[in-house]
Amino acid sequence: MKKLVSLLTAVLLVLTLVSSVVVFAEDLGSITINGIGEDAKYDIYKILDLESYNTATGVYSYMINTKWSGFFETTAAQAYVTVDESGYATWVAADNDATVAAFAKIALAYAKDNGITADKSSETPGDFVVTGTTGKFSDLTLGYYLVDSSVGALCGLTTTNPNASINAKNGTPTIDKQVKEDSTENWGDSNTADIGQTVEFRTTINVHAGAENYVLHDKMSAGLTFKGVTAVEHIVPGEGTTIVDPAEYTVKTTGITDGCTFEVVFSQDFCNSLETNDKVIVYYNAMLNRNALISSDNPNEAWLEYGEENFSTHDTTNTRTFGFDLVKTDSQNVLIDGAEFKIYDAATGGSEVKVVLMDDGETYRRAREDETGVSIVVKDGKVRVVGFDNGTYYLEETVTPTGYNKLAARQKFIISDSNLDATFNDGIFSTGSGVHVVNKSGSILPETGGTGTTLFIVIGGAVVLMAGVLLFAKKRMSQIAE
């Protein structure tokens, strides 16, 4: 059993031997924890009594603590420790860190499930004396102790004397949340998207030893609709990546009380398999919906709960979408009505980028895949269109205002990380970068009976009349001369 204690390195829960240099264990001992966490809670449970021992020969005699007799009757406990008819305990499992850690965890789980109270707790005044970053449990009857930390991070103990000392590694798990930018396939802190588009997220949990009660929380803003968890990966450095069996976690979307959108609750068996420097990556999707803020952040926030109601720092990604003002004027920038448009993704051919009219009856937004698109009808010379990703688009005029010339080709416009907004002054397009479409009117050609024709007739009649007068005058002069 002495050898067992020396193997306790890098485990969440620690079994520590508190013993004496005398043959009969009648003294009192202590457990000192070095490097304690500021908000961490520490509990100790005595599961075996040390009846006698001999440090020279390495012989130790342990008996079951009566509070734990039920535990040692379980099949799970008997895989590690056997108890003879007289109540003496013997370790029978493999002597390695993983086995010892597994035993410690099932013992702690039994204590919590069966209401076994800790022998001493850092939350009980006088039990745990703190000096700087060190805490000490004193006046302990000698035995084999289970040491629990609320942050699940105690590790490393080797002792053969009554005053045991262990190091508490209070490194906490952290997370890194990212979103994929579909145009580059790169993961980062932000992205742009169309309304109706499925956005991919991933949250990486950076594991510390002694993983316990891992629950990933995720809170989506009103502009994002959670669609589901698509996969969970477990990465072991130097060994590779495996897909986690869905049986090892539960995705909760109801019965949540902290305001988050969904939770991923990991089984303790899976947590027990995690080691320091492992990574757990949770992949999930959401749709950017019609409630999305335009040209503003639509945040998605995640955090990890672990141990006994401990929480990691929060990490947030932001998704943006954009809009533009479609402005229709004549050649003098005067707003005109009556035009209708559709949007395409190419100068010729290509696919229609469908839009629908929103509930306000004035604004158009990018349509979802399951929606039927409509034409954009320009009223009062302008219309707002929203929900577009960065990209190059083309406007095609499908209906031209009466009396104006139809556009000869689609008109190109580009959205790049900002809205295309327009401003007006008394019905005249003024400034801004809105998508400005100009229609020119045709000139009026002369008609029969029109002013132009009458003018020609008058001038022609005058010429004929003058020619007649001159001819008559010439004839009279000839007559006089005769």
Side-chain angles (χ1 to χ4, degrees):
M1 214 52 182
K2 174 183 176 184
K3 182 178 180 181
L4 167 63
V5 177
S6 68
L7 292 171
L8 294 183
T9 57
V11 296
L12 162 71
L13 305 169
V14 194
L15 293 176
T16 176
L17 174 65
V18 181
S19 59
S20 168
V21 294
V22 297
V23 175
F24 296 100
E26 298 177 351
D27 293 338
L28 297 178
S30 67
I31 297 176
T32 298
I33 304 175
N34 301 311
I36 60 175
E38 181 178 352
D39 299 318
K41 170 189 173 184
Y42 302 95
D43 295 323
I44 58 173
Y45 301 81
K46 183 181 180 184
I47 63 174
L48 296 174
D49 297 323
L50 182 58
E51 185 180 72
S52 64
Y53 66 98
N54 188 315
T55 55
T57 62
V59 175
Y60 293 79
S61 176
Y62 296 94
M63 296 196 71
I64 301 299
N65 185 320
T66 55
K67 290 197 301 184
W68 289 81
S69 58
F71 169 68
F72 288 102
E73 292 174 358
T74 66
T75 302
Q78 290 172 2
Y80 301 90
V81 176
T82 61
V83 182
D84 65 17
E85 295 179 353
S86 300
Y88 290 99
T90 303
W91 182 263
V92 294
D95 286 345
N96 58 59
D97 293 348
T99 303
V100 173
F103 173 70
K105 288 181 179 181
I106 66 168
L108 181 61
Y110 181 88
K112 293 181 177 181
D113 291 343
N114 291 273
I116 298 179
T117 57
D119 289 86
K120 289 199 174 187
S121 173
S122 62
E123 293 192 328
T124 301
D127 278 4
F128 194 62
V129 178
V130 176
T131 305
T133 59
T134 297
K136 184 176 183 179
F137 289 106
S138 301
D139 299 328
L140 303 177
T141 56
L142 303 187
Y144 206 50
Y145 283 84
L146 175 66
V147 182
D148 176 32
S149 165
S150 61
V151 297
L154 287 180
C155 68
L157 169 66
T158 301
T159 182
T160 56
N161 61 66
N163 300 310
S165 180
I166 63 176
N167 295 319
K169 294 184 178 179
N170 291 293
T172 58
T174 61
I175 65 165
D176 179 21
K177 181 172 180 57
Q178 294 179 311
V179 62
K180 180 186 283 189
E181 171 52 55
D182 64 318
S183 63
T184 62
E185 297 296 310
N186 293 331
W187 294 91
D189 294 331
S190 63
N191 75 311
T192 60
D194 299 305
I195 285 180
Q197 180 179 328
T198 296
V199 180
E200 298 180 56
F201 297 93
R202 71 180 184 188
T203 297
T204 301
I205 303 171
N206 302 300
V207 177
H208 275 266
E212 182 181 5
N213 301 332
Y214 273 14
V215 179
L216 177 65
H217 298 255
D218 192 279
K219 181 179 181 180
M220 295 186 173
S221 59
L224 292 165
T225 301
F226 175 59
K227 296 184 69 174
V229 172
T230 56
V232 177
E233 293 179 345
H234 179 197
I235 301 176
V236 179
E239 296 185 19
T241 302
T242 59
I243 300 299
V244 179
D245 188 335
E248 297 291 356
Y249 58 88
T250 301
V251 180
K252 292 180 58 178
T253 57
T254 60
I256 298 174
T257 59
D258 65 352
C260 69
T261 304
F262 71 95
E263 297 174 351
V264 181
V265 183
F266 293 94
S267 71
Q268 190 55 46
D269 285 343
F270 175 69
C271 291
N272 291 343
S273 70
L274 302 176
E275 300 290 343
T276 297
N277 297 324
D278 283 8
K279 295 183 183 296
V280 177
I281 305 179
V282 182
Y283 294 87
Y284 46 101
N285 293 339
M287 182 186 73
L288 189 66
N289 64 43
R290 64 181 181 175
N291 298 315
L293 298 177
I294 306 302
S295 194
S296 296
D297 291 335
N298 293 279
N300 181 205
E301 181 182 12
W303 63 94
L304 181 71
E305 181 180 359
Y306 60 94
E308 298 176 19
E309 298 184 352
N310 296 288
F311 300 92
S312 72
T313 56
H314 294 212
D315 198 8
T316 302
T317 60
N318 291 299
T319 298
R320 287 195 167 198
T321 191
F322 306 100
F324 64 93
D325 289 325
L326 172 53
V327 183
K328 185 70 171 175
T329 76
D330 63 13
S331 57
Q332 302 303 312
N333 283 348
V334 177
L335 300 177
I336 57 177
D337 291 336
E340 295 185 19
F341 293 89
K342 288 190 176 181
I343 304 174
Y344 289 86
D345 60 6
T348 59
S351 299
E352 180 184 353
V353 180
K354 296 180 180 180
V355 298
V356 295
L357 186 62
M358 297 182 68
D359 294 340
D360 64 6
E362 298 179 354
T363 308
Y364 292 83
R365 66 163 172 83
R366 178 111 186 211
R368 300 190 307 267
E369 291 182 357
D370 61 338
E371 293 179 316
T372 302
V374 298
S375 293
I376 300 171
V377 180
V378 178
K379 297 179 180 179
D380 299 324
K382 58 185 180 297
V383 66
R384 184 70 169 169
V385 188
V386 300
F388 281 71
D389 196 352
N390 285 341
T392 301
Y393 303 92
Y394 299 84
L395 275 174
E396 181 177 294
E397 190 173 49
T398 57
V399 175
T400 304
T402 302
Y404 290 86
N405 299 334
K406 186 176 182 179
L407 296 183
R410 294 174 182 173
Q411 182 167 323
K412 174 182 174 180
F413 66 97
I414 298 173
I415 294 178
S416 179
D417 291 331
S418 65
N419 291 337
L420 301 177
D421 299 321
T423 58
F424 308 91
N425 184 13
D426 293 332
I428 305 297
F429 173 62
S430 179
T431 60
S433 59
V435 181
H436 184 199
V437 181
V438 179
N439 277 120
K440 296 181 179 180
S441 61
S443 61
I444 301 176
L445 299 178
E447 300 177 3
T448 302
T451 302
T453 304
T454 302
L455 182 59
F456 282 120
I457 292 173
V458 171
I459 295 173
V463 171
V464 171
L465 180 60
M466 288 180 65
V469 170
L470 290 173
L471 180 61
F472 176 77
K474 185 177 182 181
K475 187 175 181 181
R476 288 283 295 170
M477 289 298 293
S478 298
Q479 290 177 347
I480 293 173
E482 292 177 354

